[in-house]
Each structure stands twice: as C-alpha cells, then as structure tokens.
C-alpha cells in the first residue's frame, strides 16, 4: 500500500506551544532506528525536539540512517548549538537528494501523476532487485563506490564529535562473529557510519581495523543497553520507523523479503525491550546496576504513515518526498510532546508490559 506524505513540503509546520517553556531541564536519550530514506521522518522528529529548550540530549544510539542522523545532529550541535544541528540535518538530507537526482532509480510517469511514492513498477528498480539476488556487490561494484561516503565527509565534522556533549553509540554487525559492535564518539568516521548502514546485498562489507562489518540492524536497531549503562539520563525516546506489527500476511516475493528484513531488524530491539521490562519488575531500584534498569523510563515516537509506505520507497530520495517525511516527523513529535511531555522525567509513557507477552 502506498500513501502520499503531506503535500506541505516547502515550509515547516509552525511550532505549537507545549506549555513547557519554563520547565526544569530534563535529560533524555534518543534511540534512532534505520530505514533508508524513511530516516527523513527521524530528521523531522529531531528538528521538532530540538526546539524544546528544556530537553537536553545526553546520548544517542543509532543504526543505519539513525546513525547518520545522530552523527549529523551531534556534529551540528557541537559547532552551532540548536541552529547548527537543525541546519546540519537539512543540509545532509538535501545533499542526499541532490546526489540521487541522476540515479536511474526514479518513479515512473504514472506514479508521478497519481502521487504514488513507490518504485515497484520501475523497470530499473526491478532489474536492480533481481541483479542483487544473483550477483554480489563485489561483482556489481568492484570499485566499492558509495554515494554517501563524500556526503558524510562533507556534512559531519568528525573532530567535533570527539568533544561533543552528546554521547554517540553507533551499532554495526561484525561479519566474522555475527555480534554487534558499538562505536563511540572518538571512534566514529565516515566508514563507521557506512558500516552501520551496510546492507550486504547492496554494498561490500566495510573494513575497520581489520574487521568487516555489515548493517547494525542485524544486531541492534538500535542498541538500548549503552544508553542505560553509560548515560546519566533515565528517559529514552525511541524513534521507530521499522514496524513491529503488520496485520496482513505478505504474498508477493518483494513483500515477503521486506517482512523478513523487518522481523530480523526488530528482533534485537524486542529482546532488549523484554529484558528492560523484566528488569523493571525484578531489579532493586535502590542500588547497583539493577537500579539503572529499574529506574529507566521508555517513550516512543512512531507513525502509521511510514508503515503504510511501500518498501521500495526507502530508496526514493526526491526532495519533495523527504520533506513530506520530515513534516510527518515534526507533526508526530508535536503530538508526542502534547501528550507525553508531562511524563518525561516522571514515568514511562510506553507500556513496557506489552513486551512481556509470551512468544
């Protein structure tokens, strides 16, 4: 099923008052999922949250597109505060859009006329999809070029990340061991961010210090544990763009593969959420590391609009589409703040007991 993002793509929705302007500052952590171009939704969420002066970001855990949003935002914030972070995010997504202007993967005339955000009828997309199932990226892209390598090098100040007040935790999957690896501020480079978003059927594994890495979503999308163990904040906001539930059973080959990817990428997160929910019930809130888990408060920002988009739209980077996702992110964050701002620093707004249901 395809849906059109909001047509308001050239001007951001006006900020509404949440009644918290004079509120005492609250430290929060952010957990940002990956999802290709759908990461522009997260851009919008961050853009809106940055406008709340009482929210202080302590740490960010990110995977794939979430990792890139995290690094871009932290770099911009370190160099120019809130304005710098907002400017950096917009510049990054603008460059992503500009870089793909001449890509053969474009919507067809019918999709453009009907306003459908999908590539499933594109002959080039279908050919590329078939080729990726027959040939490896080592055969199709022997030069190992990556469209995001230069963009990341130009939009992220990696030296600034080393002194950033925001702690970053970027997840990538070690190909040899199959386990997740966390990269922190001082270790983050363009290659680390590319590794976090390295889909193995599209890109060659990224080598860092003699180890090969694939997309971090296989190990943590995103990883929650370091936010609990290494950050002072007790409130974590999960920005979710990878759906957990789907009511319909996939029937087409494309939809089956997409659902398998969603299940694989959600499994580590669900495991951590179940662990957090269990520790909430049994951990001693007064002492030791268990106290951190017992005191942790979880929140979630998500929208059905992203879930309803066709899976091929993760590769659509038209500026109008990205801006529509950004606007949806801002609106969703606005609704979250209107409903849950009062809970931040007080209690969880996400019911953790939902994750204790039997498998």
């Amino acid at each position: 099923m395809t849906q059109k993002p909001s047509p308001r793509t050239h001007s951001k929705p006006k900020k509404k008052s949440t009644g918290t302007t004079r509120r005492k500052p609250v430290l929060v952590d952010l957990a940002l999922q990956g999802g290709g171009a759908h990461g522009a939704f997260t851009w919008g969420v961050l853009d809106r949250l940055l406008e709340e002066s009482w929210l202080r970001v302590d740490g960010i855990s990110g995977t794939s597109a979430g990792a890139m949003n995290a690094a871009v935002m932290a770099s911009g914030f370190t160099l120019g505060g809130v304005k710098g972070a907002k400017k950096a995010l917009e510049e990054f997504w603008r460059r992503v859009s500009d870089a793909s202007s001449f890509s053969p993967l474009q919507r067809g005339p019918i999709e453009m006329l009907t306003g459908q955000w999908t590539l499933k009828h594109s002959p080039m997309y279908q050919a590329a999809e078939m080729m990726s199932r027959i040939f490896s990226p080592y055969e199709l892209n022997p030069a190992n070029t990556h469209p995001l390598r230069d963009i990341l090098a130009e939009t992220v100040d990696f030296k600034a990340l080393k002194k950033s007040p925001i702690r970053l935790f970027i997840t990538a999957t070690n190909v040899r061991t199959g386990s997740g690896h966390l990269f922190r501020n001082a270790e983050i480079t363009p290659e680390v961010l590319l590794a976090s978003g390295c889909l193995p059927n599209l890109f060659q594994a990224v080598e860092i210090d003699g180890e090969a890495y694939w997309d971090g979503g296989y190990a943590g999308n995103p990883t929650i544990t370091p936010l609990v163990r290494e950050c002072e904040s007790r409130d974590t906001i999960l920005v979710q763009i990878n759906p957990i539930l789907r009511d319909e059973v996939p029937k087409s080959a494309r939809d089956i593969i997409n659902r398998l990817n969603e299940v694989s990428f959600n499994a580590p997160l669900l495991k951590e959420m179940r662990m957090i929910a269990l520790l909430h019930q049994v951990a001693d809130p007064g002492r030791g590391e268990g106290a951190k888990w017992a005191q942790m408060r979880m929140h979630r920002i998500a929208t059905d609009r992203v879930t309803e988009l066709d899976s091929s739209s993760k590769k659509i980077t038209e500026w109008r589409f990205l801006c529509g996702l950004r606007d949806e992110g801002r609106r969703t964050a606005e609704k979250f703040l209107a409903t849950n701002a009062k809970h931040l620093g007080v209690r969880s707004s996400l019911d953790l007991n939902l994750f204790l249901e039997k498998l």
Side-chain angles (χ1 to χ4, degrees):
M1 179 177 180
T2 59
Q3 293 284 338
K4 294 188 289 183
S6 167
R8 294 188 295 170
T9 59
H10 301 293
S11 61
K12 300 176 184 178
K14 293 182 179 179
K15 175 185 172 183
K16 299 177 182 177
S17 173
T18 59
T20 54
T21 305
R22 298 181 180 178
R23 181 173 173 175
K24 182 180 178 180
V26 175
L27 273 179
V28 298
D29 295 325
L30 302 175
L32 311 181
Q33 283 197 322
H38 293 180
F41 169 81
T42 303
W43 163 29
V45 171
L46 297 176
D47 192 70
R48 178 61 188 87
L49 294 181
L50 281 165
E51 294 170 0
E52 296 296 323
S53 60
W54 58 279
L55 284 178
R56 306 288 173 84
V57 179
D58 187 12
I60 307 178
S61 177
T63 298
S64 194
M68 296 177 195
N69 274 319
V72 171
M73 172 182 157
S75 169
F77 184 84
T78 303
L79 296 174
V82 170
K83 290 184 179 179
K86 290 164 74 72
K87 181 180 178 181
L89 284 166
E90 181 165 2
E91 180 182 1
F92 170 75
W93 285 101
R94 169 63 84 174
R95 291 197 179 208
V96 168
S97 179
D98 290 345
S100 61
S101 298
F102 300 103
S103 168
L105 297 181
Q106 302 288 345
R107 291 186 300 152
I110 295 178
E111 286 73 38
M112 290 185 178
L113 286 172
T114 57
Q116 297 182 68
W117 296 105
T118 180
L119 294 173
K120 65 182 181 181
H121 302 302
S122 164
M124 288 301 298
Y125 176 76
Q126 294 175 3
E129 202 174 41
M130 183 177 297
M131 292 286 282
S132 69
R133 298 177 190 176
I134 301 174
F135 300 100
S136 83
Y138 295 86
E139 298 168 306
L140 293 174
N141 183 16
N144 197 23
T145 58
H146 199 298
L148 290 178
R149 183 174 280 109
D150 290 341
I151 294 174
L152 289 168
E154 294 167 359
T155 56
V156 179
D157 188 322
F158 292 92
K159 291 183 179 179
L161 293 184
K162 295 180 180 181
K163 58 182 180 181
S164 175
I166 301 175
R167 306 177 196 186
L168 298 181
F169 306 95
I170 305 303
T171 302
T173 303
N174 186 304
V175 178
R176 182 175 58 85
T177 66
S179 60
H181 183 89
L182 283 172
F183 294 90
R184 294 165 176 81
N185 294 58
E187 306 167 295
I188 298 172
T189 63
E191 295 306 303
V192 166
L193 298 178
L194 293 180
S196 184
C198 179
L199 293 172
N201 62 324
L202 296 179
F203 302 106
Q204 295 183 26
V206 179
E207 187 171 316
I208 302 171
D209 296 332
E211 292 283 2
Y213 293 94
W214 280 340
D215 194 295
Y218 298 109
N221 191 23
T223 307
I224 305 294
T225 302
L227 299 177
V228 181
R229 289 180 171 174
E230 300 182 36
C231 294
E232 296 178 18
S233 168
R234 292 294 170 262
D235 287 78
T236 295
I237 302 174
L238 170 65
V239 182
Q240 190 170 2
I241 55 178
N242 199 37
I244 293 176
L245 298 175
R246 283 196 183 274
D247 294 329
E248 297 180 1
V249 176
K251 302 292 178 65
S252 70
R254 181 183 294 110
D255 289 342
I256 290 171
I257 291 173
N258 179 61
R259 186 55 183 158
L260 281 172
N261 287 333
E262 289 176 347
V263 171
S264 298
F265 283 176
N266 277 329
L269 174 65
L270 289 175
K271 183 178 180 180
E272 278 195 293
M273 296 299 284
R274 290 190 185 102
M275 179 183 69
I276 293 170
L278 181 62
L279 288 172
H280 258 253
Q281 293 187 353
V282 302
D284 186 342
R287 61 183 179 181
E289 183 173 331
K292 293 183 178 180
W293 293 97
Q295 295 166 8
M296 187 177 182
R297 297 178 287 268
M298 287 297 304
H299 314 272
R300 177 167 59 189
I301 297 178
T303 176
D304 290 338
R305 294 288 295 277
V306 173
T307 303
E308 293 166 356
L309 287 166
D310 184 87
S311 62
S312 68
S313 67
K314 293 178 182 179
K315 295 181 175 64
I316 296 176
T317 54
E318 295 177 40
W319 185 239
R320 181 166 170 261
F321 180 63
L322 297 180
C323 287
L325 288 170
R326 176 205 63 193
D327 292 352
E328 179 65 17
R330 284 186 57 87
R331 279 191 295 273
T332 306
E334 181 68 50
K335 292 178 182 178
F336 169 82
L337 289 169
T339 304
N340 298 306
K342 60 178 179 276
H343 300 315
L344 289 168
V346 179
R347 68 175 182 84
S348 292
S349 61
L350 176 63
D351 185 1
L352 292 173
N353 291 324
L354 295 175
F355 297 94
L356 288 176
E357 295 179 358
K358 293 183 180 180
L359 294 175

